[in-house]
């Protein structure tokens, strides 16, 4: 609620302003009145005033003098000047004092009300912006640890924008500016596959237990004070539910045996397989993403050689048979993306290119067999992620394993067998794809329409329908010609428009009902979609 002060020496006009409008119904709790500027100064000293309506020409202290006083001592008050003198000099003086508006007598009460309500809207906006500024200042002061974690995340993903030196200084990390480092990723293999709600809780608990064990390792081995969180020899980041990241600011060998011990302990005590990948050494924090990407590539070797080990990126590029670059390439090969999109002609080209790479690498047959079998297994995994059952595709054959060390197939024979494998998949999907996809999208849209007020995301939707998020995104855009996020936003804004027009709910309440936890964010999205803010839309 707001308070209004009307200053006018003519009783009839002052009473007209006060009594011709139901100010309380428009959000004004109290309306004060004064006959001149001097009397108004006393009211201002004792009461909170939000908007001042004042005449210019008054005895004792006129409106210009009063406005100067207000601007000096109460700059947050909005001032509206009314006058029966259409004199340029008065108008010029009021403009220099930055009053909100200037209205000439005689005037209609409804026009004055409209002007006051516009000023009230400005007050609400200014108050919101000021509260946001104060909130941000408080967060900046209290949450340096969160900001530090966000900085590390941005560096890991190569999304950092700004002045790194200034940010490091602000967060007490300037001593790390030119310190060399390694990035290590610890992948918790089983946490990528569990699905039930109970298992989700177990995932979280197990992730926390691993994180705490590593945090204890840092404190014990490196002297890290978790209370003050001063980064000296290493930093730990609980990056994903199935991945913990270590940034190591000293020789990697100093911690290798502890990492191997953690892998062994968790496997023996809890039956969880952990894999650790370690990137190369770098000297600039802006290169953090490079070492992280290398660490992820190194850990991906577990898909070929098994989990429960520490893999180094530099071994991938060595001449050692089991760490061949060609074997590593199969992990992130484009063949799986082409398989998802159903482009089987492109899949055939991928097969030819991949086999040519393996052939040119001149690696032993047992390594080739390992690579091909992993291509087959990862292709099956990709198909399962799309919602198909590989066992149904190959019926009694089960999961296809085509090669072992005793086969000694030629590359031409391998190519023919892979073509047959992908052709079988292609024929099956082609027979199922059309009706299944359209039915699936209809079910998804119905689910969104019923649950738009919940915390829906592409990930939660993919979990609900047992499809990988990336494939779901492709399907949704292909059928609806919209991104998932745009579709959800349009549903929410449409519901918001209905509530604005048909209910008296506050903006904050409407935002909560349609899935927005932050009313300011809802207002921002609403204006972006409709061109006006929620208040303006309701008043139209």
């Amino acid at each position: 609620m707001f308070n209004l002060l009307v200053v006018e020496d003519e009783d009839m006009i002052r009473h007209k302003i006060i009594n011709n409008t139901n100010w309380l119904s428009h959000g004004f709790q109290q309306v004060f009145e004064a006959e001149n500027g001097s009397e108004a100064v006393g009211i201002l000293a004792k009461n909170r005033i939000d908007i001042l309506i004042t005449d210019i020409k008054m005895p004792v202290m006129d409106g210009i003098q009063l406005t100067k006083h207000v601007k000096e001592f109460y700059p947050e008050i909005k001032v509206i000047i009314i006058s029966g003198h259409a004199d340029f000099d008065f108008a010029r003086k009021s403009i220099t004092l930055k009053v909100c508006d200037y209205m000439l007598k005689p005037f209609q009460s409804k026009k004055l009300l409209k002007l006051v309500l516009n000023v009230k809207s400005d007050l609400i906006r200014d108050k919101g912006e000021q509260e946001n500024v104060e909130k941000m200042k408080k967060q900046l002061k209290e949450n340096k640890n969160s900001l530090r974690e966000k900085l590390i995340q941005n560096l890991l993903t190569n999304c950092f924008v700004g002045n790194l030196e200034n940010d490091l200084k602000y967060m007490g990390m300037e001593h790390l500016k030119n310190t060399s480092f390694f990035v290590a990723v610890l992948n918790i293999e089983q946490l990528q596959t569990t699905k039930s709600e109970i298992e989700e809780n177990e995932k979280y608990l197990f992730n926390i237990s691993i994180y705490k064990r590593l945090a204890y390792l840092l404190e014990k081995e490196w002297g890290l004070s978790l209370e003050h969180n001063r980064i000296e020899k290493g930093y730990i980041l609980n990056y994903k539910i199935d991945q913990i990241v270590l940034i190591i600011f000293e020789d990697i060998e100093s911690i290798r045996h502890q990492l191997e011990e953690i892998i062994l302990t968790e496997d023996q005590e809890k039956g969880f397989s952990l894999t650790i990948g370690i990137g190369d050494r770098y000297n600039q924090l802006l290169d953090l993403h490079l070492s992280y990407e290398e660490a992820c590539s190194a850990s991906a070797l577990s898909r070929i050689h098994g989990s429960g080990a520490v893999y180094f990126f530099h071994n991938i590029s060595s001449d050692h048979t089991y760490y061949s670059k060609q074997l590593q390439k199969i992990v992130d090969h484009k063949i799986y993306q082409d398989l998802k999109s159903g482009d089987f002609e492109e899949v055939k080209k991928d097969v030819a290119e991949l086999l040519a790479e393996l052939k040119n690498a001149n690696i032993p047959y047992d390594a080739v067999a390992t690579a091909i079998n992993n291509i087959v297994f990862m292709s099956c995994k990709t198909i399962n992620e799309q919602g198909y059952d590989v066992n149904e595709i190959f019926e009694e054959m089960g999961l296809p394993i085509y090669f072992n060390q005793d086969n000694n197939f030629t590359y031409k024979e391998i190519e023919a067998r892979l073509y047959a494998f992908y052709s079988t998949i292609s024929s099956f999907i082609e027979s199922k794809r059309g009706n299944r996809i359209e039915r699936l999208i209809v079910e998804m849209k119905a689910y969104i329409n019923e649950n738009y007020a919940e915390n829906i995301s592409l990930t939660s939707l993919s979990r609900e329908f047992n499809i990988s998020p990336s494939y779901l995104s492709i399907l949704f855009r292909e059928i609806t010609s919209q991104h998932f996020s745009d579709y959800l936003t349009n549903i929410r804004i449409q519901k918001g428009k209905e509530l604005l027009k048909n209910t008296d709910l506050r903006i904050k309440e409407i935002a909560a009902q349609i899935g927005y936890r932050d009313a300011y964010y809802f207002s921002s999205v609403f204006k972006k979609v409709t061109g006006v803010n929620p208040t303006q839309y309701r008043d139209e």
Side-chain angles (χ1 to χ4, degrees):
M1 300 294 285
F2 294 85
N3 291 335
L4 184 69
L5 172 58
V6 179
V7 187
E8 168 62 66
D9 62 327
E10 295 184 44
D11 292 345
M12 184 180 70
I13 296 176
R14 187 171 71 253
H15 294 157
K16 172 186 174 183
I17 295 172
I18 295 172
N19 299 320
N20 280 16
T21 301
N22 185 347
W23 292 106
L24 183 62
S25 68
H26 292 288
F28 290 89
Q29 187 173 19
Q30 288 184 282
V31 179
F32 298 90
E33 59 178 302
E35 295 184 3
N36 55 60
S38 179
E39 187 178 333
V41 168
I43 294 174
L44 288 166
K46 296 178 181 179
N47 302 278
R48 178 183 64 79
I49 303 298
D50 300 292
I51 299 176
L52 168 67
I53 301 175
T54 179
D55 189 12
I56 286 185
K57 194 171 183 181
M58 297 181 294
V60 185
M61 177 186 282
D62 64 26
I64 297 297
Q65 292 172 312
L66 174 60
T67 301
K68 288 180 179 178
H69 176 82
V70 167
K71 291 299 179 182
E72 181 177 357
F73 295 101
Y74 311 100
E76 71 281 1
I77 295 178
K78 303 290 186 181
V79 180
I80 299 172
I81 284 183
I82 57 175
S83 176
H85 303 274
D87 189 297
F88 176 75
D89 188 51
F90 284 117
R92 180 183 58 78
K93 287 181 179 178
S94 65
I95 290 171
T96 59
L97 290 172
K98 296 182 180 179
V99 299
C100 290
D101 220 318
Y102 184 92
M103 178 171 281
L104 289 176
K105 301 175 186 176
F107 54 82
Q108 295 179 333
S109 295
K110 64 180 182 180
K111 287 188 176 181
L112 178 62
L113 172 62
K114 184 177 180 180
L115 193 153
V116 171
L117 291 179
N118 286 339
V119 173
K120 176 189 164 188
S121 295
D122 291 341
L123 270 172
I124 293 172
R125 185 198 65 231
D126 293 347
K127 184 177 289 187
E129 290 176 353
Q130 183 60 33
E131 287 176 356
N132 279 342
V133 169
E134 294 302 320
K135 184 179 179 181
M136 288 173 65
K137 286 181 179 178
K138 186 177 180 181
Q139 288 175 337
L140 284 171
K141 185 175 181 180
E142 295 178 354
N143 298 330
K144 280 192 178 181
N145 287 346
S146 297
L147 290 171
R148 177 183 291 169
E149 184 170 305
K150 180 64 176 175
L151 172 63
I152 296 294
Q153 288 178 341
N154 287 339
L155 289 169
L156 283 174
T157 55
N158 198 24
C159 293
F160 175 78
V161 177
N163 188 311
L164 181 59
E165 187 171 346
N166 288 345
D167 286 2
L168 291 174
K169 185 175 182 181
Y170 174 75
M171 296 175 201
M173 299 165 61
E174 65 270 26
H175 59 290
L176 302 176
K177 185 172 64 172
N178 296 313
T179 304
S180 63
F181 61 88
F182 298 86
V183 171
V185 298
L186 185 147
N187 289 341
I188 309 170
E189 303 286 343
Q190 286 90 335
L191 298 194
Q192 298 175 351
T193 56
T194 53
K195 293 176 183 175
S196 74
E197 196 62 39
I198 296 176
E199 288 172 335
E200 285 293 329
N201 293 334
E202 290 176 355
K203 281 167 104 176
Y204 174 76
L205 292 173
F206 186 73
N207 166 278
I208 291 299
S209 71
I210 292 290
Y211 175 76
K212 286 185 175 180
R213 187 184 292 258
L214 281 170
Y216 176 74
L217 180 151
L218 292 181
E219 185 174 16
K220 180 180 177 182
E221 299 296 327
W222 296 345
L224 175 68
S225 171
L226 295 181
E227 181 179 351
H228 299 97
N229 205 19
R230 165 115 174 140
I231 300 174
E232 290 293 348
K233 298 182 179 180
Y235 183 81
I236 181 171
L237 177 67
N238 204 348
Y239 193 49
K240 301 176 184 176
I241 190 70
D242 58 353
Q243 185 184 85
I244 297 170
V245 174
L246 289 176
I247 303 169
I248 304 165
F249 293 103
E250 60 174 23
D251 188 355
I252 192 65
E253 292 299 328
S254 66
I255 193 176
R256 178 173 179 168
H257 69 281
Q258 288 95 337
L259 297 177
E260 291 173 339
E261 184 180 339
I262 286 178
I263 290 174
L264 182 62
T265 301
E266 296 302 329
D267 182 48
Q268 291 177 344
E269 293 182 1
K270 300 181 180 178
F272 275 85
S273 296
L274 308 180
T275 297
I276 295 175
I278 299 174
D280 281 344
R281 180 195 293 272
Y282 288 86
N283 297 315
Q284 298 294 327
L285 284 175
L286 287 173
D287 292 329
L288 200 66
H289 68 283
L290 296 176
S291 190
Y292 171 71
E293 290 165 5
E294 292 171 354
C296 289
S297 294
S299 68
L301 288 173
S302 66
R303 304 183 198 177
I304 300 172
H305 307 297
S307 58
V310 178
Y311 295 104
F312 288 82
F313 180 75
H314 65 78
N315 285 333
I316 294 176
S317 57
S318 72
D319 293 331
H320 197 288
T321 299
Y322 299 102
Y323 298 107
S324 167
K325 276 187 176 181
Q326 274 62 41
L327 295 186
Q328 166 58 21
K329 284 181 181 178
I330 73 168
V331 173
D332 299 310
H333 202 280
K334 68 186 286 288
I335 192 171
Y336 313 115
Q337 191 59 43
D338 291 334
L339 196 56
K340 284 182 181 178
S341 63
D343 191 345
F344 288 94
E345 286 303 315
E346 198 63 29
V347 168
K348 290 174 71 174
K349 293 179 183 177
D350 294 335
V351 169
E353 291 173 3
L354 196 145
L355 290 176
E357 289 177 0
L358 289 174
K359 187 175 181 180
N360 293 333
N362 220 9
I363 57 179
Y365 181 81
D366 59 343
V368 174
T370 300
I372 299 301
N373 284 332
N374 276 277
I375 292 169
V376 171
F377 288 138
M378 292 176 70
S379 295
C380 290
K381 180 175 178 287
T382 301
I383 294 302
N384 282 335
E385 287 175 350
Q386 291 177 280
Y388 300 102
D389 185 350
V390 170
N391 290 314
E392 183 182 355
I393 297 176
F394 294 96
E395 298 179 338
E396 296 179 0
M397 292 171 56
L399 289 178
I401 300 177
Y402 291 95
F403 309 100
N404 59 52
Q405 297 184 33
D406 300 324
N407 291 146
N408 287 324
F409 289 118
T410 65
Y411 274 100
K412 193 164 185 176
E413 290 170 331
I414 292 173
E415 184 176 54
R417 287 173 176 268
L418 285 178
Y419 284 168
F421 167 67
Y422 289 115
S423 178
T424 302
I425 293 174
S426 175
S427 298
F428 179 86
I429 291 179
E430 193 63 34
S431 67
K432 302 279 188 179
R433 183 180 175 89
N435 293 336
R436 175 183 175 275
I437 290 176
E438 290 181 6
R439 185 174 66 253
L440 190 62
I441 294 300
V442 169
E443 291 174 2
M444 287 181 185
K445 290 168 75 171
Y447 180 84
I448 295 169
N449 289 341
E450 291 178 9
N451 298 278
Y452 62 85
E454 304 301 325
N455 186 23
I456 300 179
S457 67
L458 200 61
T459 301
S460 66
L461 199 64
S462 69
R463 218 165 23 230
E464 180 72 23
F465 289 90
N466 195 27
I467 296 177
S468 71
S470 58
Y471 183 60
L472 190 153
S473 178
I474 293 170
L475 284 184
F476 205 90
R477 189 166 64 249
E478 184 179 298
I479 300 298
T480 67
S481 300
Q482 281 185 295
H483 289 284
F484 163 76
S485 58
D486 293 335
Y487 182 85
L488 177 60
T489 296
N490 288 335
I491 291 291
R492 285 174 168 171
I493 295 304
Q494 186 57 43
K495 300 295 182 182
K497 288 164 73 174
E498 293 173 10
L499 292 173
L500 285 167
K501 287 297 186 183
N502 301 322
T503 73
D504 294 325
L505 292 172
R506 293 181 299 171
I507 303 299
K508 182 178 180 180
E509 294 170 329
I510 291 175
Q513 282 201 21
I514 63 174
Y516 292 102
R517 304 296 174 258
D518 188 321
Y520 292 110
Y521 180 65
F522 162 62
S523 297
S524 173
V525 173
F526 190 94
K527 186 170 183 179
K528 184 177 180 181
V529 173
T530 66
V532 295
N533 63 41
T535 303
Q536 292 170 326
Y537 180 81
R538 171 173 270 172
D539 292 340
E540 286 179 351

